[in-house]
Coordinates of all heavy atoms in Angstrom, one line a residue:
M15 N 99.9 176.0 111.9 CA 99.7 174.6 111.4 C 101.1 173.9 111.5 O 102.1 174.4 111.1 CB 99.2 174.6 110.0 CG 98.4 173.4 109.8 SD 97.6 173.1 108.2 CE 98.0 174.5 107.2
E16 N 101.0 172.7 111.9 CA 102.3 171.9 112.0 C 102.7 171.5 110.6 O 101.9 171.0 109.8 CB 102.1 170.7 112.9 CG 103.4 170.2 113.5 CD 103.1 169.1 114.5 OE1 102.2 169.3 115.4 OE2 103.7 168.1 114.4
K17 N 104.0 171.6 110.4 CA 104.5 171.2 109.1 C 104.7 169.7 109.1 O 105.0 169.1 110.1 CB 105.9 171.8 108.9 CG 105.9 173.3 108.5 CD 107.3 173.7 108.2 CE 107.3 175.2 107.9 NZ 108.6 175.8 107.9
K18 N 104.6 169.1 107.9 CA 104.7 167.7 107.8 C 106.1 167.3 108.0 O 107.0 168.0 107.5 CB 104.2 167.3 106.4 CG 103.8 165.8 106.3 CD 103.0 165.6 105.0 CE 102.6 164.2 104.8 NZ 103.7 163.3 104.5
E19 N 106.3 166.2 108.7 CA 107.7 165.7 108.9 C 108.3 165.2 107.7 O 107.7 164.5 106.9 CB 107.6 164.6 110.0 CG 108.9 163.9 110.3 CD 109.4 164.4 111.6 OE1 108.9 164.1 112.6 OE2 110.4 165.2 111.5
I20 N 109.6 165.5 107.4 CA 110.3 164.9 106.3 C 111.2 163.8 106.9 O 111.9 164.0 107.9 CB 111.2 166.0 105.7 CG1 110.4 167.1 105.0 CG2 112.2 165.3 104.6 CD1 111.2 168.2 104.5
I21 N 111.2 162.7 106.3 CA 112.0 161.6 106.8 C 112.8 160.9 105.7 O 112.2 160.6 104.6 CB 111.1 160.5 107.5 CG1 110.3 161.1 108.6 CG2 112.0 159.3 107.9 CD1 109.3 160.1 109.3
K22 N 114.1 160.9 105.8 CA 114.9 160.2 104.8 C 115.7 159.1 105.5 O 116.0 159.2 106.6 CB 115.9 161.2 104.2 CG 115.1 162.3 103.5 CD 116.0 163.0 102.5 CE 115.0 163.9 101.7 NZ 115.7 164.9 100.9
E23 N 115.9 158.1 104.7 CA 116.6 156.9 105.3 C 117.8 156.6 104.4 O 117.8 156.7 103.2 CB 115.7 155.7 105.3 CG 114.5 155.9 106.3 CD 113.8 154.6 106.6 OE1 114.0 153.6 106.0 OE2 113.0 154.7 107.6
Y24 N 118.9 156.2 105.1 CA 120.2 155.9 104.4 C 120.6 154.5 105.0 O 120.7 154.4 106.2 CB 121.2 156.9 104.7 CG 120.9 158.3 104.3 CD1 120.1 159.1 105.1 CD2 121.3 158.8 103.1 CE1 119.8 160.4 104.8 CE2 121.0 160.1 102.7 CZ 120.2 160.9 103.5 OH 119.8 162.2 103.2
S25 N 120.9 153.6 104.1 CA 121.2 152.2 104.6 C 122.6 151.8 104.3 O 123.2 152.2 103.4 CB 120.2 151.2 103.9 OG 118.9 151.4 104.4
K26 N 123.1 151.0 105.2 CA 124.4 150.4 105.1 C 124.1 148.9 105.5 O 124.1 148.6 106.7 CB 125.3 151.0 106.1 CG 126.7 150.5 106.2 CD 127.4 151.2 107.4 CE 128.8 150.7 107.7 NZ 129.8 151.1 106.7
G27 N 123.9 148.1 104.5 CA 123.5 146.7 104.8 C 122.2 146.6 105.6 O 121.2 147.2 105.2
E28 N 122.3 146.0 106.7 CA 121.1 145.8 107.6 C 120.8 147.0 108.4 O 119.8 147.1 109.1 CB 121.3 144.6 108.5 CG 121.5 143.3 107.8 CD 120.3 142.8 107.1 OE1 119.3 142.6 107.7 OE2 120.4 142.7 105.8
F29 N 121.8 147.9 108.5 CA 121.7 149.1 109.3 C 121.2 150.3 108.6 O 121.6 150.6 107.5 CB 123.1 149.4 109.9 CG 123.2 150.5 110.8 CD1 122.8 150.4 112.1 CD2 123.8 151.7 110.4 CE1 122.9 151.4 113.0 CE2 123.9 152.8 111.3 CZ 123.4 152.6 112.6
T30 N 120.2 150.9 109.1 CA 119.6 152.1 108.4 C 119.5 153.3 109.4 O 119.1 153.2 110.5 CB 118.1 151.8 108.0 OG1 118.2 150.7 107.1 CG2 117.5 153.0 107.3
V31 N 120.0 154.4 108.8 CA 120.0 155.7 109.6 C 118.7 156.5 109.1 O 118.4 156.6 107.9 CB 121.2 156.5 109.3 CG1 121.1 157.9 110.0 CG2 122.5 155.8 109.7
V32 N 118.0 157.0 110.1 CA 116.8 157.8 109.8 C 117.1 159.2 110.1 O 117.6 159.6 111.1 CB 115.6 157.3 110.7 CG1 114.4 158.1 110.4 CG2 115.4 155.8 110.5
W33 N 116.8 160.1 109.1 CA 117.2 161.5 109.2 C 115.9 162.3 109.1 O 115.2 162.2 108.1 CB 118.1 161.8 108.1 CG 118.4 163.2 107.7 CD1 118.2 163.7 106.4 CD2 118.8 164.3 108.5 NE1 118.5 165.1 106.4 CE2 118.9 165.4 107.7 CE3 119.2 164.4 109.8 CZ2 119.3 166.6 108.2 CZ3 119.6 165.6 110.3 CH2 119.7 166.7 109.5
K34 N 115.7 163.1 110.1 CA 114.5 164.0 110.1 C 115.0 165.4 110.2 O 115.2 166.0 111.3 CB 113.6 163.7 111.4 CG 113.1 162.3 111.3 CD 112.3 162.0 112.6 CE 111.8 160.5 112.5 NZ 111.2 160.1 113.8
P35 N 115.2 166.0 109.0 CA 115.9 167.3 108.9 C 115.2 168.4 109.7 O 115.9 169.3 110.2 CB 115.9 167.6 107.4 CG 115.0 166.7 106.8 CD 114.9 165.5 107.7
R36 N 113.9 168.4 109.8 CA 113.2 169.5 110.5 C 113.5 169.4 112.0 O 113.2 170.4 112.7 CB 111.7 169.4 110.3 CG 111.5 169.8 108.8 CD 110.0 170.3 108.6 NE 110.0 170.9 107.3 CZ 109.0 170.7 106.4 NH1 108.1 169.9 106.6 NH2 109.1 171.4 105.3
K37 N 114.0 168.3 112.5 CA 114.3 168.3 114.0 C 115.7 168.8 114.3 O 116.0 169.0 115.4 CB 114.2 166.8 114.5 CG 112.8 166.3 114.7 CD 112.8 165.1 115.6 CE 111.3 164.8 116.0 NZ 111.2 163.5 116.5
C38 N 116.5 168.8 113.3 CA 117.9 169.2 113.5 C 118.1 170.6 114.0 O 117.5 171.5 113.5 CB 118.7 169.0 112.2 SG 120.4 169.5 112.3
I39 N 118.9 170.7 115.1 CA 119.1 172.0 115.7 C 120.5 172.6 115.3 O 121.0 173.5 115.8 CB 119.0 172.0 117.2 CG1 119.9 171.0 117.8 CG2 117.5 171.8 117.6 CD1 120.0 171.1 119.3
H40 N 121.1 171.9 114.3 CA 122.4 172.3 113.7 C 123.5 172.5 114.8 O 124.3 173.4 114.7 CB 122.2 173.5 112.9 CG 121.2 173.3 111.8 ND1 121.4 172.5 110.7 CD2 119.9 173.8 111.7 CE1 120.3 172.5 110.0 NE2 119.4 173.2 110.6
A41 N 123.5 171.6 115.8 CA 124.5 171.6 116.8 C 125.8 171.1 116.2 O 126.9 171.3 116.8 CB 124.1 170.7 118.0
A42 N 125.8 170.4 115.0 CA 126.9 169.9 114.3 C 127.7 168.9 115.0 O 128.9 168.6 114.7 CB 127.9 171.1 113.9
T43 N 127.1 168.3 116.0 CA 127.8 167.2 116.7 C 128.1 166.1 115.8 O 129.2 165.5 115.8 CB 126.8 166.6 117.8 OG1 126.4 167.7 118.6 CG2 127.6 165.6 118.7
C44 N 127.2 165.8 114.9 CA 127.4 164.7 113.9 C 128.7 165.0 113.0 O 129.5 164.2 112.8 CB 126.2 164.4 113.1 SG 125.6 165.9 112.3
V45 N 128.7 166.2 112.5 CA 129.8 166.5 111.6 C 131.1 166.6 112.3 O 132.1 166.1 111.8 CB 129.5 167.9 110.9 CG1 130.6 168.3 110.0 CG2 128.2 167.9 110.2
N46 N 131.1 167.1 113.5 CA 132.4 167.1 114.3 C 132.8 165.8 114.7 O 134.0 165.5 114.8 CB 132.2 168.0 115.5 CG 132.0 169.5 115.1 OD1 132.5 169.9 114.1 ND2 131.4 170.3 116.0
T47 N 131.9 164.9 115.0 CA 132.3 163.6 115.5 C 132.8 162.7 114.4 O 133.8 161.9 114.5 CB 131.1 162.9 116.3 OG1 130.6 163.8 117.2 CG2 131.6 161.6 117.0
L48 N 132.1 162.7 113.3 CA 132.4 161.8 112.2 C 132.5 162.6 110.9 O 131.6 162.5 110.0 CB 131.4 160.7 112.0 CG 131.3 159.7 113.1 CD1 130.1 158.7 112.9 CD2 132.6 158.9 113.3
P49 N 133.5 163.4 110.7 CA 133.6 164.3 109.6 C 133.7 163.6 108.2 O 133.4 164.2 107.2 CB 134.9 165.2 109.9 CG 135.6 164.4 110.9 CD 134.7 163.6 111.7
H50 N 134.2 162.3 108.3 CA 134.3 161.6 107.0 C 132.9 161.1 106.5 O 132.7 160.6 105.4 CB 135.2 160.4 107.1 CG 136.6 160.8 107.5 ND1 137.3 161.7 106.7 CD2 137.4 160.5 108.6 CE1 138.5 161.9 107.3 NE2 138.6 161.2 108.4
V51 N 132.0 161.0 107.5 CA 130.6 160.5 107.1 C 129.7 161.7 106.7 O 129.0 161.6 105.7 CB 130.0 159.8 108.3 CG1 128.6 159.4 108.1 CG2 130.9 158.5 108.7
Y52 N 129.7 162.7 107.6 CA 128.7 163.8 107.3 C 129.3 165.0 106.7 O 130.3 165.6 107.2 CB 128.1 164.2 108.7 CG 127.4 163.1 109.4 CD1 128.1 162.5 110.5 CD2 126.2 162.7 109.0 CE1 127.4 161.4 111.2 CE2 125.5 161.6 109.7 CZ 126.2 161.0 110.8 OH 125.6 160.0 111.4
D53 N 128.8 165.3 105.5 CA 129.3 166.5 104.8 C 128.0 167.3 104.4 O 127.3 166.9 103.5 CB 130.1 166.1 103.5 CG 130.4 167.3 102.7 OD1 130.1 168.4 103.0 OD2 131.0 167.0 101.6
P54 N 127.7 168.4 105.1 CA 126.5 169.1 104.8 C 126.4 169.5 103.4 O 125.3 169.7 102.9 CB 126.6 170.3 105.7 CG 127.6 169.9 106.8 CD 128.6 169.0 106.1
N55 N 127.5 169.6 102.6 CA 127.4 170.1 101.2 C 127.4 168.9 100.3 O 127.4 169.1 99.1 CB 128.5 171.0 100.9 CG 128.5 172.2 101.8 OD1 127.4 172.8 102.0 ND2 129.6 172.6 102.3
G56 N 127.6 167.7 100.8 CA 127.7 166.5 99.9 C 126.4 166.0 99.5 O 125.3 166.3 100.1
K57 N 126.4 165.2 98.4 CA 125.2 164.6 97.9 C 125.5 163.1 97.7 O 126.2 162.8 96.8 CB 124.7 165.2 96.7 CG 123.9 166.5 97.0 CD 123.2 167.0 95.7 CE 122.7 168.3 96.1 NZ 121.9 169.2 95.8
P58 N 125.0 162.2 98.5 CA 124.2 162.4 99.7 C 125.0 163.0 100.8 O 126.3 162.9 100.8 CB 123.7 161.0 100.1 CG 124.8 160.1 99.6 CD 125.3 160.8 98.3
W59 N 124.4 163.7 101.8 CA 125.2 164.4 102.8 C 125.8 163.4 103.8 O 126.7 163.9 104.5 CB 124.4 165.5 103.4 CG 123.5 165.1 104.5 CD1 122.3 164.5 104.4 CD2 123.7 165.2 106.0 NE1 121.7 164.2 105.6 CE2 122.6 164.6 106.6 CE3 124.8 165.7 106.7 CZ2 122.5 164.6 108.0 CZ3 124.7 165.6 108.1 CH2 123.5 165.1 108.7
M60 N 125.4 162.2 103.8 CA 126.1 161.3 104.7 C 126.6 160.0 104.0 O 125.9 159.5 103.1 CB 125.2 160.8 105.9 CG 124.0 160.0 105.7 SD 123.2 159.5 107.2 CE 122.1 160.9 107.5
K61 N 127.8 159.7 104.2 CA 128.4 158.6 103.5 C 128.7 157.5 104.5 O 129.7 157.5 105.2 CB 129.7 159.0 102.8 CG 129.4 160.0 101.7 CD 130.7 160.4 101.0 CE 130.3 161.3 99.8 NZ 129.7 162.6 100.2
L62 N 127.7 156.6 104.7 CA 127.8 155.6 105.7 C 128.9 154.6 105.6 O 129.4 154.0 106.5 CB 126.5 154.8 105.8 CG 125.2 155.7 106.1 CD1 124.0 154.8 106.3 CD2 125.4 156.5 107.4
E63 N 129.5 154.5 104.3 CA 130.6 153.5 104.1 C 131.9 154.0 104.8 O 132.8 153.2 104.9 CB 130.8 153.3 102.6 CG 131.2 154.5 101.8 CD 130.1 155.4 101.3 OE1 129.0 155.4 101.9 OE2 130.3 156.1 100.3
N64 N 131.9 155.2 105.3 CA 133.1 155.7 105.8 C 133.2 155.6 107.3 O 134.1 156.1 108.0 CB 133.3 157.2 105.5 CG 133.6 157.4 104.0 OD1 134.0 156.5 103.3 ND2 133.3 158.6 103.5
A65 N 132.3 154.8 107.9 CA 132.4 154.5 109.4 C 131.8 153.1 109.6 O 131.0 152.7 108.8 CB 131.7 155.6 110.2
S66 N 132.2 152.6 110.8 CA 131.6 151.3 111.1 C 130.2 151.5 111.7 O 129.9 152.6 112.2 CB 132.5 150.5 112.1 OG 132.4 151.2 113.4
V67 N 129.4 150.5 111.8 CA 128.1 150.6 112.4 C 128.2 151.0 113.8 O 127.4 151.8 114.3 CB 127.3 149.2 112.3 CG1 126.1 149.2 113.1 CG2 127.0 149.0 110.8
V68 N 129.2 150.5 114.6 CA 129.4 150.8 116.0 C 129.7 152.3 116.1 O 129.1 153.0 117.0 CB 130.5 150.0 116.6 CG1 130.8 150.5 118.0 CG2 130.0 148.5 116.7
E69 N 130.5 152.8 115.2 CA 130.8 154.3 115.3 C 129.6 155.1 115.0 O 129.4 156.1 115.7 CB 131.9 154.6 114.2 CG 133.3 154.2 114.6 CD 134.3 154.4 113.5 OE1 134.0 154.0 112.3 OE2 135.3 155.0 113.8
L70 N 128.8 154.7 114.0 CA 127.6 155.4 113.7 C 126.6 155.4 114.8 O 126.0 156.4 115.2 CB 127.0 154.8 112.4 CG 127.8 155.0 111.1 CD1 127.3 154.1 110.0 CD2 127.7 156.5 110.7
Q71 N 126.4 154.2 115.4 CA 125.5 154.1 116.5 C 125.9 155.0 117.7 O 125.1 155.8 118.2 CB 125.4 152.7 117.0 CG 124.6 151.8 116.1 CD 124.6 150.3 116.6 OE1 125.6 149.9 117.2 NE2 123.5 149.6 116.3
S72 N 127.2 155.0 118.1 CA 127.6 155.8 119.2 C 127.4 157.3 118.9 O 127.1 158.1 119.8 CB 129.0 155.4 119.7 OG 129.9 156.1 119.0
Q73 N 127.7 157.7 117.7 CA 127.5 159.1 117.3 C 126.0 159.5 117.3 O 125.7 160.5 117.8 CB 128.2 159.4 115.9 CG 128.0 160.8 115.4 CD 126.7 160.9 114.7 OE1 126.3 160.1 113.8 NE2 125.9 161.9 115.1
I74 N 125.2 158.7 116.7 CA 123.8 159.0 116.6 C 123.1 159.0 118.0 O 122.3 159.9 118.2 CB 123.1 158.0 115.7 CG1 123.6 158.2 114.2 CG2 121.6 158.1 115.7 CD1 123.2 157.1 113.2
D75 N 123.6 158.2 118.9 CA 123.1 158.3 120.3 C 123.4 159.6 120.9 O 122.7 160.0 121.9 CB 123.7 157.2 121.1 CG 123.2 155.8 120.8 OD1 122.1 155.7 120.1 OD2 123.8 154.8 121.1
N76 N 124.3 160.4 120.4 CA 124.7 161.7 120.9 C 124.1 162.8 120.2 O 124.3 164.0 120.5 CB 126.2 161.8 121.0 CG 126.8 161.0 122.1 OD1 126.3 161.0 123.2 ND2 127.9 160.4 121.8
C77 N 123.2 162.6 119.2 CA 122.6 163.7 118.5 C 121.6 164.3 119.4 O 120.7 163.7 120.0 CB 121.8 163.1 117.2 SG 120.7 164.3 116.5
P78 N 121.8 165.6 119.7 CA 121.0 166.2 120.8 C 119.5 166.5 120.5 O 118.7 166.6 121.3 CB 121.7 167.6 121.0 CG 122.4 167.8 119.8 CD 122.8 166.5 119.2
S79 N 119.2 166.5 119.2 CA 117.8 166.8 118.8 C 116.9 165.6 118.5 O 115.7 165.8 118.3 CB 117.9 167.7 117.6 OG 118.3 166.9 116.5
G80 N 117.5 164.5 118.3 CA 116.7 163.4 117.8 C 116.5 163.4 116.3 O 115.7 162.6 115.8
A81 N 117.2 164.3 115.6 CA 117.0 164.3 114.1 C 117.6 163.1 113.5 O 117.1 162.6 112.4 CB 117.7 165.5 113.6
L82 N 118.6 162.5 114.1 CA 119.2 161.3 113.6 C 118.8 160.1 114.5 O 118.9 160.2 115.8 CB 120.7 161.4 113.6 CG 121.4 162.2 112.5 CD1 122.9 162.4 112.8 CD2 121.2 161.6 111.1
S83 N 118.4 159.0 113.9 CA 118.1 157.8 114.7 C 118.5 156.6 113.7 O 118.9 156.9 112.6 CB 116.7 157.7 115.2 OG 115.8 157.8 114.1
Y84 N 118.3 155.4 114.2 CA 118.7 154.3 113.4 C 117.9 153.1 113.8 O 117.3 153.0 114.9 CB 120.2 154.0 113.5 CG 120.7 153.7 114.9 CD1 120.5 152.5 115.5 CD2 121.3 154.7 115.6 CE1 120.9 152.2 116.8 CE2 121.7 154.5 116.9 CZ 121.5 153.2 117.5 OH 122.0 153.0 118.8
Y85 N 117.8 152.1 112.9 CA 117.3 150.8 113.2 C 118.1 149.7 112.5 O 118.7 150.1 111.5 CB 115.8 150.7 113.0 CG 115.4 150.9 111.5 CD1 115.3 149.8 110.7 CD2 115.0 152.1 111.0 CE1 114.9 149.9 109.4 CE2 114.7 152.3 109.7 CZ 114.6 151.1 108.9 OH 114.2 151.3 107.6
T86 N 118.0 148.5 112.9 CA 118.6 147.4 112.2 C 117.5 146.4 111.8 O 116.7 146.1 112.6 CB 119.6 146.7 113.1 OG1 120.5 147.7 113.6 CG2 120.4 145.7 112.4
K87 N 117.6 146.0 110.6 CA 116.6 145.1 110.1 C 116.8 143.7 110.7 O 118.0 143.3 110.8 CB 116.7 144.9 108.5 CG 115.9 146.0 107.8 CD 116.0 145.6 106.3 CE 116.1 146.8 105.5 NZ 116.7 146.6 104.2
N88 N 115.8 143.1 111.0 CA 115.9 141.7 111.5 C 115.6 140.8 110.3 O 114.7 140.9 109.6 CB 114.9 141.4 112.6 CG 115.2 142.1 113.8 OD1 116.3 142.2 114.2 ND2 114.1 142.7 114.4
K89 N 116.5 139.8 110.1 CA 116.4 138.9 109.0 C 115.3 137.9 109.3 O 115.0 137.6 110.4 CB 117.7 138.1 108.8 CG 118.6 138.9 107.9 CD 119.7 138.1 107.4 CE 120.6 138.9 106.5 NZ 121.8 138.2 106.2
Ligands
SF4_28 S1 124.0 166.0 115.6 FE1 121.8 166.0 115.3 S2 121.2 168.0 115.8 FE2 123.4 168.1 115.5 S3 123.6 168.7 113.4 FE3 123.7 166.5 113.5 S4 121.6 165.9 113.1 FE4 121.5 168.0 113.6

């Protein structure tokens, strides 16, 4: 039976990161690229205030599993 997807969202102003932990293959690309943002032991584990939206977008585009994605709210 397929497990239910877990989805968490973290926002930085209009920018929201979507995190689907069950998709993560633990390649650690995120932690290696932006170590000030992603701390697997931190609560919350990502601190979006420590990077610009552009930095976050370019890193998330490189997440190999699709566990991380993002959207921007339209006003
Ligand atoms: S880059 Fe994507 S797949 Fe790799 S650890 Fe981060 S969330 Fe998981």
Side-chain angles (χ1 to χ4, degrees):
M15 206 181 1
E16 204 173 309
K17 284 186 184 166
K18 202 164 179 286
E19 177 100 71
I20 296 172
I21 301 176
K22 298 203 166 164
E23 297 196 346
Y24 302 84
S25 289
K26 177 186 176 76
E28 301 292 298
F29 182 74
T30 298
V31 176
V32 182
W33 163 236
K34 298 177 182 170
R36 290 202 166 133
K37 281 198 170 165
C38 177
I39 55 169
H40 304 289
T43 312
C44 52
V45 180
N46 290 335
T47 309
L48 293 176
H50 300 303
V51 174
Y52 301 102
D53 173 2
N55 301 316
K57 278 188 190 201
W59 82 280
M60 66 175 87
K61 296 183 174 63
L62 300 185
E63 65 271 25
N64 291 342
S66 69
V67 168
V68 171
E69 285 174 310
L70 290 164
Q71 283 175 329
S72 82
Q73 177 276 307
I74 291 167
D75 288 341
N76 285 318
C77 169
S79 68
L82 286 170
S83 60
Y84 57 81
Y85 64 88
T86 306
K87 273 188 217 157
N88 292 318
K89 274 192 177 170

